[in-house]
Amino acid sequence: MGFRDADRHTFYAGSPQLSADSSGSYESIDPSNGKPICKINNSSPKSIDAAIQSAQKAFPEWSSKPPIERARILQRAVALLREHNDNLARIETFDTGKPYSETSAVDIVTGADVLEYFANLVASGGLNGESFRLRPSASVYTSKEPLGVCAGIGAWNYPIQIALWKSAPCLAAGNCMVYKPSEFTPLHAEYLADVYRQAGVPDGVFNVVYGSGEVGAYLTKHPAIAKVSFTGQVSTGKKVAGAAAGEMKYVTMELGGKSPLVVLPDAEVDQAVDVAMMANFYSTGQVCTNGTRVFVPRVMKKSFESALLEKVKFVRPGDLFDMDTNFGPLSSKVHQDKVIRYIHHGIEQDKATLLCGGVEPPVNLPAGLKSGYWVQPTVFTDCKDDMTIVKEEIFGPVMTILTYDTIDEAITRANATELGLAAGVVGRDIDRCHDTIARLQAGITWVNTWGESPAEMAVGGWKQSGVGVENGRRGLEAWVRNKSTLVEMGGSVPTVFAKL
Ligand code: NAD
C-alpha cells in the first residue's frame, strides 16, 4: 500500500466488479496548509443500496463461520495494520492535521489493538451463551446471534480508530458493515477496506460509502440496516437515534462531552497541570473525552496557573512530520471558525480572564503552514459555571479554570451538566480520589491520568453523551442479540388444554 492521491472511488464494497456511482464530489483538504489532497465522490442512493446488498449477500456465509475462523482472518488484518502502521499514520496526518508523532504512535495502534482484542475474545468463547437446568425435566440455553447488516457512522477526530472500534466487534460477532467516514476525514476508509480484503475478509463483509449527513441519514433509515453505531455530536446523535428508534434498530451512540477534571486539595501541582494539559491540548483538543472544565482549589489557583503557563511553552506546533511537533491545526476551516468564535465569546461576552492563547494563530509557524487552520492552546481563568465557554463543547484546545472551596461543592458543580462522557480526579489520597470519582456522573473516568483508553476498557457516555459502550467484553454484547431456548425433556407438555 502506498499513499495514493488519486481520486477516491465512490464506494468500496470489497468487490472490484461493483461499479461506482456518484452524487457529485468534493475535495478533501490538508488542514495544516488548507490545500486540497484529493477528490472524494459522494455515494448516490444507488451506490448505498448496492453496498447494503453486497453486505446482505455476504452475511449468511460470514455469520455461519465458526468464530475462531473469523478470528483468524481478523488477526491477519491486525498484522497488516501493524505492518503498514507508518503509511496509514501518514494518511491520517494528511487528512486530520494531527502530528505524525501522534498518529504513528496512537491512532492505528489503538485501532489494531481493539481488532486483536475482539478477534481473541470471539475465538476464546466470547460469543458462547449459557445453559442451565430449569427443573429436572427442562433446560434453558441461550445463544448470541449476530444482528445482520450494521451501519457505522464516524466522526472526524479519530478516523481509522473509530472505523476499527466499530468494525472490529461488528465483524468478529459475525455481522457485516456498511461504514461511512466523516466527510472531513474520509481517506482511511478505502485503505482499511484494502487491509480487510488482503487479510481474507470476504467481499461484501466490510463496505464503505462516502458523503455527508444525507448519506448517513439514508443509511440510518434503510430497512435492511439492523443497527447504527454512531460517533458524533449530541445534536446529530439525537437525530440518528430518533430515526433508528422509528424502525426499532439497535443503536450505539458515542457523543460529545464537557468533562470535568477535579484537582483535589492534596494534589501535586505539577502532576495536576500535566493531567490538565493532556486533557485539553492532546490532539489539539479534538478529543471527545477532553477535561475542559478544570476545577482547582481556590488556594491552589495561583500556583496551578503559573505552572500551567510554564508547561504551555512545551506545546510545539509546526511541520506535522517533524517528530518534535506535538500540536497540529484544527481539522477543517469550518471547525477553526467555530473554535475562534468560542474564544471571542469567552473574551467579549463571558468576560473570562484570558490566561494565554487567543484568537491569533501560533507565532513562528513555518511559512508554508500559515494558510492552515491553526489556533493557539488557550486557557481561560476566573471562569463561572454559567459561561458559554464552560457550558458548551468547543472541541478545540480551550481550557477553562474554575475555582472551588469544598470538594462537595466541586462535585455538585461538575455534575451540573446534561453531559456525562468523562471525568477525572488528581490527588494524593487515593481513598479520596476513589470517593470523588464514585460521585462524578460520567461513563469514562480516570484517576491521576487522562485519556488512555485500552481495548479491554469499555467506554461510553452517560446522560446525553451517549447510549451503550464500545470496547471491553461489554462492547461485544452491543453487536449480538440474545436467543433463549427452553427444552422440555420430560415428555409431558404443560397445558391448560387437558381433557377434564
Ligand atoms: P457530527 O455529528 O457533525 O458528524 C458525525 C457523523 O455523522 C459524520 O459522519 C456526519 O456526516 C454524520 N451525519 C451528519 N448528519 C447526519 C444525519 N442526519 N444522519 C446520519 N449521519 C449524519 O460530528 P463531528 O463534528 O464529525 O464529530 C465531532 C463530535 O463527535 C464531537 O461532539 C465529539 O465529542 C464527538 N465524538 C464522540 C466520541 C465518543 O466516543 N463519545 C468520539 C469522537 C468524537
Side-chain angles (χ1 to χ4, degrees):
M1 276 184 298
F3 177 65
R4 288 175 283 168
D5 58 358
D7 287 0
R8 301 281 119 188
H9 296 299
T10 307
F11 82 103
Y12 184 99
S15 165
Q17 285 81 30
L18 281 167
S19 65
D21 175 51
S22 72
S23 269
S25 63
Y26 66 96
E27 279 179 325
S28 188
I29 306 289
D30 176 347
S32 72
N33 56 21
K35 295 197 175 127
I37 308 172
C38 68
K39 207 167 80 181
I40 307 289
N41 294 324
N42 289 311
S43 300
S44 67
K46 198 171 144 203
S47 305
I48 307 168
D49 288 344
I52 292 171
Q53 279 156 19
S54 101
Q56 284 177 302
K57 200 164 148 231
F59 179 70
E61 199 185 320
W62 181 247
S63 58
S64 53
K65 270 189 198 304
I68 200 162
E69 281 184 28
R70 288 199 299 268
R72 225 171 268 142
I73 295 170
L74 297 177
Q75 291 287 19
R76 286 202 290 271
V78 173
L80 284 166
L81 286 166
R82 290 186 179 144
E83 187 187 333
H84 295 284
N85 179 74
D86 294 356
N87 194 28
L88 292 165
R90 251 164 69 73
I91 293 163
E92 289 297 75
T93 288
F94 276 120
D95 210 16
T96 61
K98 292 192 214 192
Y100 181 71
S101 60
E102 202 180 306
T103 54
S104 59
V106 173
D107 294 48
I108 293 87
V109 172
T110 51
D113 283 355
V114 165
L115 188 57
E116 183 176 38
Y117 175 82
F118 283 113
N120 284 337
L121 187 58
V122 300
S124 57
L127 291 171
N128 290 357
E130 50 186 13
S131 66
F132 55 93
R133 191 88 174 266
L134 183 66
R135 54 178 180 261
S137 68
S139 295
V140 171
Y141 65 87
T142 68
S143 57
K144 297 179 185 178
E145 305 286 335
L147 305 172
V149 177
C150 303
I153 300 177
W156 46 255
N157 62 330
Y158 274 89
I160 196 166
Q161 188 207 66
I162 290 174
L164 279 158
W165 284 20
K166 295 189 186 312
S167 61
C170 173
L171 270 49
N175 302 288
C176 297
M177 173 163 272
V178 179
Y179 167 67
K180 187 195 91 60
S182 164
E183 58 274 35
F184 292 104
T185 53
L187 297 193
H188 66 287
E190 189 173 322
Y191 289 89
L192 179 59
D194 266 346
V195 164
Y196 278 138
R197 187 177 48 76
Q198 285 176 36
V201 172
D203 285 357
V205 171
F206 180 76
N207 309 273
V208 179
V209 293
Y210 293 104
S212 50
E214 61 275 18
V215 174
Y218 187 90
L219 269 180
T220 304
K221 289 201 192 104
H222 201 289
I225 296 291
K227 166 178 176 142
V228 183
S229 175
F230 174 83
T231 300
Q233 301 183 49
V234 174
S235 55
T236 320
K238 285 182 181 174
K239 285 188 217 158
V240 174
E247 303 291 326
M248 287 298 168
K249 294 178 197 293
Y250 292 84
V251 292
T252 303
M253 292 281 140
E254 299 294 345
L255 310 178
K258 191 73 190 176
S259 301
L261 163 60
V262 179
V263 177
L264 293 172
D266 69 348
E268 204 250 306
V269 173
D270 262 1
Q271 186 187 23
V273 168
D274 284 339
V275 173
M277 295 276 295
M278 282 303 285
N280 280 272
F281 301 141
Y282 191 71
S283 263
T284 314
Q286 300 168 113
V287 185
C288 53
T289 50
N290 263 1
T292 47
R293 292 183 295 141
V294 182
F295 289 89
V296 177
R298 194 176 303 281
V299 288
M300 198 193 282
K301 179 177 183 272
K302 279 215 161 56
S303 55
F304 184 89
E305 286 173 1
S306 57
L308 185 62
L309 284 172
E310 279 308 305
K311 295 210 178 187
V312 167
K313 292 178 191 156
F314 305 150
V315 174
R316 293 181 294 273
D319 175 356
L320 298 182
F321 289 95
D322 179 337
M323 288 305 269
D324 288 338
T325 299
N326 60 13
F327 190 83
L330 292 168
S331 71
S332 65
K333 175 83 179 99
V334 184
H335 192 49
Q336 183 197 33
D337 289 346
K338 176 179 157 187
V339 173
I340 287 177
R341 261 199 316 276
Y342 272 115
I343 299 175
H344 269 300
H345 194 99
I347 299 167
E348 289 146 24
Q349 266 89 43
D350 288 338
K351 303 212 181 298
T353 308
L354 185 66
L355 190 68
C356 65
V359 294
E360 298 301 323
V363 286
N364 300 331
L365 274 178
L369 300 183
K370 290 196 191 297
S371 50
Y373 311 136
W374 299 84
V375 290
Q376 296 178 63
T378 294
V379 180
F380 283 106
T381 189
D382 302 319
C383 295
K384 301 278 174 285
D385 297 349
D386 61 355
M387 290 177 175
T388 300
I389 54 166
V390 175
K391 289 195 298 191
E392 295 182 10
E393 185 187 43
I394 300 174
F395 215 50
V398 184
M399 184 192 303
T400 59
I401 299 177
L402 301 123
T403 48
Y404 70 86
D405 294 307
T406 68
I407 298 175
D408 283 349
E409 172 210 331
I411 293 170
T412 304
R413 289 168 56 199
N415 287 337
T417 163
E418 291 177 330
L419 302 171
L421 188 58
V425 297
V426 186
R428 285 200 185 104
D429 177 343
I430 200 71
D431 289 346
R432 194 182 286 165
C433 288
H434 285 309
D435 179 61
T436 308
I437 278 291
R439 295 162 66 198
L440 288 170
Q441 297 165 355
I444 310 167
T445 59
W446 289 284
V447 174
N448 290 334
T449 185
W450 198 279
E452 189 179 353
S453 192
E456 300 85 344
M457 178 172 160
V459 285
W462 286 11
K463 304 200 243 179
Q464 298 206 5
S465 291
V467 176
V469 296
E470 289 185 329
N471 298 344
R473 287 180 171 272
R474 291 199 49 216
L476 188 63
E477 302 300 322
W479 296 92
V480 290
R481 52 191 162 184
N482 178 74
K483 178 176 274 185
S484 292
T485 305
L486 194 156
V487 184
E488 177 58 56
M489 297 173 291
S492 64
V493 180
T495 177
V496 294
F497 304 113
K499 193 172 170 197
L500 288 176

